[in-house]
Amino acid sequence: MQHKRSRIGAAALVIVTGLAAVAVGAGSGSGTAAAATVAKGAASYDPNAVLKMPLPTPQILDPVRAVNACDVNILSPIYDTLIRTDPKGKYIPGIAASWSAPDASTFVLKLRPNVKFSDGTALDAEAVKASITRGQTDPSSVVKTALSPISAVTVVDPTTVKLTLSKPVVGLMTSLFAGRAGMIVSPTAVTAAGTAFGTTAANAVGAGPYKMTTFQSQGDYASTAWKGYWDSKNRKLAGLKLTNTQGATAGYGPFITRLAQGEFDALSMKEADIAVARAQPNLVVKTGPSELMMQLMINYNKAPFDNKAVRQALEYAVDRPALVAAIAQNLGVPADGPLPPTSWAYNPALKGMYKYNPTKAKALLKKAGLDSVSFTASVPNTSLYVQLATAVQDMLKKSNINMTIRQVAGQDINTELYVKKTDPAGVTGWSEAADPGDFFNVKYASNGSNNAAVTAIPGLDDLLAQGAATTDQAKRAVAYKKAQKLIMDQAIEVPLYFAPAVTVASKKVQGIPKAYSTCVDANFVTPSISMKK
Amino acid sequence: MVLVRIAAAIPLMLVATFAVFALSVFLPGDAAQTLAGDGASQQRVAEIRHTLHLQDPLLQRYGNWLGNAVHGDLGTSLFSKTPVMHEIATRWSVSASLLLLAVIISFLIGVPAGILAAVYRGRPLDRASTFAATFGMAIPPFVLGIVLVIVFGVWLKWLPVGGYTPFAKSPVDWFRSLVLPAFALSGVLAATLARQLRGSLADVLDEEYIRTARAKGLRGSAVVLKHGLRMAAGPVASVMAVYIGRLIGGAVVVEAVFNLPGLGPFLVSSLLSRDLPVVLGIIPFTVLIVILLNLLAEVTRGLLDPRFARSAV
């Protein structure tokens, strides 16, 4: 969890799914929540159904102060976002009906008229400005760094907001406002609650499909549909009721049993307990690749990885499909590069680039003038990562590469790898941001906060800048595809596989997509979840 | 005397809280990295560290905390931004319900088992009780908990597998949600109680005044319950106080296994996230409970055995 490092390492990441966000469901169906029986061509659903799930519930219901990456899923039903992401990663309108980028340093958001927060306050340009400013200035803000390129927020008219950027990174604004920074909070509630905003059900006020009725930090969470929500035609549930899993200490078995007994409707879990779920005749189990990349992370500025041939040897020395079979119960997807095949910016040309080949690996070592290589890798001390590291260790040995495993506390892996940099490598997980721009800038740009090497790879910073300079997703994809090629040519990362996401639901739940992200950065839009009558 | 005992608890609290503070220095990492959010710059992390005074000297930080704590302000959680007192207040009743029920179950099992073993010492019933008690002491609460879940929750479906219903909402469901965890937690205490009581009561039953009572024609059960048990209970009470204190440690794990929203899992998650104000709030709270339990045991012993009360005062 918990409280776990939000983006890296913590196995708890795998727990959370986009289910809660899916439940928000601004879907393509056309059922109305009020009369609500039949969505066009779809089965009927119960407009009075409350979806009940066990989840790691947030510590605070504040988009800019809740620290865990997965908290966004649970915040999005309360706080609608300016921009939404569809299941394919395309940015589509949310509270903002449209947006434009007159130049690479200007971003203009055009809001829908007459949108209201659940407390009746108008969601206008002033409210958006107040929300963004709060993200930039709150002493506990987790989006302060992400919002730092915005130098001015101007209210042009009640439905138009203009952002002036200090750098040409307008391409990063769409994902930013499809995530926490785009979750607009009620200025009335913020003024009234002050620093207590988001600590109670009453003062956590947004413009999402549901409003809170019960909230305890890391405890019970209940929300209900409210009259006046701008997109109510796409809301198919009467509310959400979440029970905190507290990290599922005893595994998912007890939760699966409670689900099978009818206490819950749906659950997202780790693949380890999938057999238990599959054994239940009244449950539906779905799997798909997530955005949690299992990786052999290397610091390419430190010996022995300051040598390209050694790095490439490492790429050939890992048998990715074998790892998927051994560690992920054959449910994950071998990684060709740092993005999963489901990403809109995935480069298919990378497929099969580094097929397992110990002979080639040894030849590359020879080329570097070495018979063998030894190094130490930091590994989170949770069973999944220790198992993975041990399997990698065995594989590497066959190519004369000796890896020593040094276990560190799961929540400290980030600090170990990117701040202290004790070891030149790590075997860990990296939960990717929905937009490759955010993720690549942090991990591969020469000044990225999670680039341990802090050294420029010639041409890479330029490609990342190109990807950030436009909001045109097709143009951005071209730049990021080239960036992936360069990253893999230079072998500055050894992606292993994308961990599976597993969801289990009762047969009453309908509209669950096949593939899940372990963490979705915004409202997951279509198809929406609903419950059978 | 009670007041003196409570006063003596103050230095103990100081030592306990300072120890937590000092140990936190040895933990790798701090809350700042997590609080800064994903992809935050190191400047931002440093800024948060500065705001939270995480790099101030240890003694200064402890002094600040203590100054506020004596004024009743335990601070706010770094992550939930709610007062630590509030967080404890919303969770302690779950833990207290669990502990109370576990103690009651322990007595319901341990006392009859101990008495029977003492009365029939050396006979098969005694040996059976000894065997059961050894088993109870050896099996950790979480293992017993998982076994109970499988049998009563999954196979028989008599009781919920996990989760908690507040007493105010439904006393019946409250009881049902706590039976299995309380039973799992009570194993060690019930076994210890049975063994202690057997030993203590066996000694008493060999005393001359018991033989006199029997000679007077009193019935066997009256002798055991009226004369024997009263004398034997004193030493047992002292031992029990220590063991009930230990239950708190077991409760942390049992609450996690049964998904109970008590102080235990909250303490663990706060420790993992380095939410020091919360940890520092819960520790003195539990220290206080242990001290009060010990006090209660001494008072009980005094009431049962006037000789002990006099000597203690």
Side-chain angles (χ1 to χ4, degrees), chain A residues 506-523:
Chain A
S506 82
K507 288 184 174 159
K508 274 201 303 189
V509 184
Q510 49 193 8
I512 315 166
K514 183 180 174 263
Y516 268 111
S517 156
T518 53
C519 263
V520 195
D521 274 311
N523 292 359

Side-chain angles (χ1 to χ4, degrees), chain A residues 92-144:
Chain A
I92 58 172
I95 296 168
S98 65
W99 54 91
S100 59
D103 60 69
S105 305
T106 312
F107 189 63
V108 180
L109 287 154
K110 192 81 192 151
L111 310 178
R112 287 174 201 275
N114 308 320
V115 175
K116 290 218 170 354
F117 291 102
S118 62
D119 63 359
T121 308
L123 198 169
D124 55 11
E126 286 293 348
V128 171
K129 181 182 176 176
S131 219
I132 295 173
T133 311
R134 182 168 179 266
Q136 286 183 310
T137 54
D138 190 284
S140 302
S141 170
V142 295
V143 289
K144 209 169 178 175

Side-chain angles (χ1 to χ4, degrees), chain A residues 132-439:
Chain A
I132 295 173
T133 311
R134 182 168 179 266
Q136 286 183 310
T137 54
D138 190 284
S140 302
S141 170
V142 295
V143 289
K144 209 169 178 175
T145 306
L147 288 170
S148 62
I150 301 171
S151 53
V153 185
T154 317
V155 171
V156 179
D157 63 52
T159 56
T160 313
V161 183
K162 189 178 99 177
L163 307 181
T164 310
L165 313 179
S166 57
K167 296 189 276 195
V169 291
V170 74
L172 304 180
M173 293 297 117
T174 36
S175 66
L176 191 57
F177 293 116
R180 303 163 174 268
M183 293 183 171
I184 308 304
V185 297
S186 161
T188 314
V190 169
T191 310
T195 56
F197 179 82
T199 58
T200 67
N203 68 24
V205 182
Y210 305 98
K211 66 174 187 180
M212 293 302 295
T213 52
T214 307
F215 175 65
Q216 185 195 4
S217 176
Q218 292 180 278
D220 290 341
Y221 167 117
S223 65
T224 184
W226 57 282
K227 259 193 187 155
Y229 170 54
W230 72 271
D231 196 21
S232 59
K233 68 177 194 306
N234 286 315
R235 180 177 57 193
K236 292 185 178 141
L237 294 165
L240 291 170
K241 192 170 180 297
L242 309 177
T243 303
N244 190 23
T245 52
Q246 300 169 349
T249 317
Y252 287 87
F255 292 106
I256 296 165
T257 307
R258 289 163 77 180
L259 174 55
Q261 291 175 355
E263 187 182 341
F264 301 123
D265 302 309
L267 158 70
S268 176
M269 52 176 248
K270 282 195 268 190
E271 67 270 26
D273 292 319
I274 196 164
V276 184
R278 283 186 170 150
Q280 303 286 342
N282 58 343
L283 299 180
V284 181
V285 181
K286 297 203 176 191
T287 64
S290 71
E291 290 156 333
L292 179 67
M293 172 175 69
M294 301 308 224
Q295 55 166 357
L296 173 52
M297 166 272 167
I298 48 182
N299 181 341
Y300 57 87
N301 201 18
K302 260 191 168 182
F305 305 120
D306 48 355
N307 186 326
K308 184 177 155 189
V310 175
R311 298 198 298 264
Q312 288 180 327
L314 215 51
E315 299 279 4
Y316 283 112
V318 285
D319 185 352
R320 294 169 172 92
L323 287 175
V324 171
I327 311 293
Q329 305 197 27
N330 249 330
L331 296 167
V333 172
D336 309 313
L339 288 179
T342 45
S343 167
W344 55 269
Y346 169 73
N347 186 346
L350 301 178
K351 204 161 177 59
M353 183 174 170
Y354 290 113
K355 231 177 143 194
Y356 179 55
N357 192 338
T359 319
K360 215 163 184 178
K362 281 187 254 186
L364 279 160
L365 289 187
K366 276 263 153 58
K367 191 180 152 195
L370 300 162
D371 286 328
S372 68
V373 162
S374 298
F375 69 96
T376 303
S378 304
V379 178
N381 62 358
T382 46
S383 60
L384 173 69
Y385 291 110
V386 175
Q387 276 174 26
L388 175 62
T390 311
V392 169
Q393 186 181 41
D394 286 348
M395 278 173 189
L396 296 181
K397 239 177 242 164
K398 290 176 188 137
S399 303
N400 294 339
I401 303 171
N402 305 307
M403 182 176 91
T404 306
I405 295 171
R406 190 174 69 88
Q407 293 190 30
V408 300
Q411 67 275 15
D412 300 323
I413 187 75
N414 229 5
T415 314
E416 281 293 328
L417 293 176
Y418 306 112
V419 182
K420 289 189 187 164
K421 305 178 188 178
T422 319
D423 298 320
V427 176
T428 175
W430 173 271
S431 181
E432 300 178 352
D435 191 286
D438 301 333
F439 152 42

Side-chain angles (χ1 to χ4, degrees), chain A residues 5-6 139 141 144 217 412, chain B residues 33 38 44 47 91 274:
Chain A
R5 169 113 275 137
S6 45
S141 170
K144 209 169 178 175
S217 176
D412 300 323
Chain B
Q33 187 77 39
D38 291 328
R44 176 69 185 131
E47 192 182 307
R91 289 176 170 87
R274 313 277 190 267

